[in-house]
Amino acid sequence: MKKTFNFNNYNVITIGDSITKGYDGSKVLEHNYPKWLAYYLQTNVTNVGENGATITGPRIIDMTSKINSINWTDYQLVLCFYGTNDYGHRKTAIEDVSLTLANNLNRIRQANPHLQIYGILPTPRYDNYKNADDVLGMGGYTFSDLIDALKLTYQVLNIPTLDWREWNPMMITDDNYQNKLNDSHLHPTAKAYQEIAINIANYLYNTIK
C-alpha cells in the first residue's frame, strides 16, 4: 500500500447500507470494512451504516434521514456507499434516485464546506445466482444503469468516485462470487470485507488531496 497522505488527524465517517454496516447475510461482523479501513488508514473511522438503507425514502434509515442525524463538522472525510437497495427493494425511478443523492450530497456540503466527500459505487450483486448487471429491477432499470447514474451524479458534483468495474474488476466476478459473497447474493465474507477495505484505502491514498 503506497501511502501518499497522512490520515492521522482525520475523523472519517462511513454512511451506507448493510455493506457498510458489515452484515454477511446472517450476522453483523465485528471486523467490517470500516473497521479494517481504520486500521489501514491508521485513523478514526465512525461507522453509521444501516442494514436495508436506501438513498430514497420514505424510510427511517434512508440517506436523507441519516444525514440529518449527523454533525458534519465533526468529520474531515465521508464515504458514501449507497445504491444496491434502491435497485433491489424500491420502485423509485432512477432519475429520482439520482436527484435525491445529489440533494443529499449538497446538504452535506452546506453543513461542512471543508468536508471531503467520496462516493463508493455498489459492489456486484447476484440475485437468484444471476449477475444483476443487465436485469431490470423494481424501478425499471438494470443494476448497471443504477451504477452509471450514481457515478454520473457524483461526477457532476466533482466528487471522487470508486467504480469497482474500473478500480478492481476482478474482486467479485461470476467465477468467484460464491466464495466472496457469504450468501452468494450480496453480502461479503469476512475476508472479502477486508479486501474491500484494502481497495478503498488504496483508492484514498492515491486520490486524496
Side-chain angles (χ1 to χ4, degrees):
M1 185 176 295
K2 182 180 178 181
K3 295 185 177 181
T4 57
F5 189 88
N6 188 342
F7 286 90
N8 286 351
N9 296 320
Y10 262 50
N11 284 323
V12 178
I13 185 168
T14 59
I15 60 175
D17 50 44
S18 56
I19 308 300
T20 299
K21 182 76 171 178
Y23 187 62
D24 74 351
S26 61
K27 61 185 180 300
V28 175
L29 301 175
E30 178 182 356
H31 287 86
N32 43 54
Y33 108 71
K35 179 81 74 172
W36 281 113
L37 188 66
Y39 173 77
Y40 290 118
L41 298 183
Q42 298 180 13
T43 195
N44 299 314
V45 177
T46 300
N47 180 7
V48 296
E50 297 280 0
N51 285 354
T54 53
I55 295 171
T56 57
R59 293 187 66 176
I60 195 170
I61 54 173
D62 67 0
M63 187 182 184
T64 303
S65 301
K66 179 57 66 176
I67 67 171
N68 287 337
S69 69
I70 296 169
N71 183 355
W72 293 103
T73 60
D74 289 341
Y75 304 98
Q76 286 77 50
L77 187 147
V78 57
L79 299 175
C80 304
F81 200 161
Y82 284 97
T84 195
N85 289 323
D86 291 271
Y87 166 81
H89 301 293
R90 296 200 57 78
K91 296 181 179 180
T92 308
I94 197 168
E95 295 82 5
D96 292 331
V97 175
S98 296
L99 179 61
T100 303
L101 175 63
N103 288 339
N104 281 326
L105 294 170
N106 283 326
R107 292 170 67 191
I108 293 172
R109 277 182 165 164
Q110 291 171 1
N112 182 355
H114 303 291
L115 183 71
Q116 297 194 60
I117 305 174
Y118 275 76
I120 310 296
L121 297 180
T123 49
R125 62 180 290 147
Y126 291 80
D127 298 330
N128 299 315
Y129 302 99
K130 180 178 175 60
N131 190 315
D133 281 353
D134 299 319
V135 178
L136 290 176
M138 296 175 65
Y141 53 85
T142 69
F143 194 54
S144 288
D145 291 337
L146 171 74
I147 294 175
D148 290 340
L150 297 180
K151 183 175 184 177
L152 179 60
T153 302
Y154 286 120
Q155 288 179 330
V156 167
L157 296 175
N158 295 314
I159 292 173
T161 309
L162 194 162
D163 184 341
W164 299 101
R165 300 171 300 184
E166 299 172 358
W167 182 256
N168 188 353
M170 301 307 294
M171 187 176 71
I172 300 173
T173 69
D174 292 355
D175 293 328
N176 68 22
Y177 79 93
Q178 293 194 57
N179 293 322
K180 294 291 187 74
L181 302 180
N182 191 60
D183 52 8
S184 297
H185 164 49
L186 175 64
H187 302 98
T189 63
K191 185 176 181 180
Y193 269 122
Q194 183 180 7
E195 187 177 356
I196 287 171
I198 290 172
N199 277 271
I200 292 175
N202 274 322
Y203 181 79
L204 291 174
Y205 277 126
N206 279 277
T207 59
I208 199 163
K209 298 176 181 180

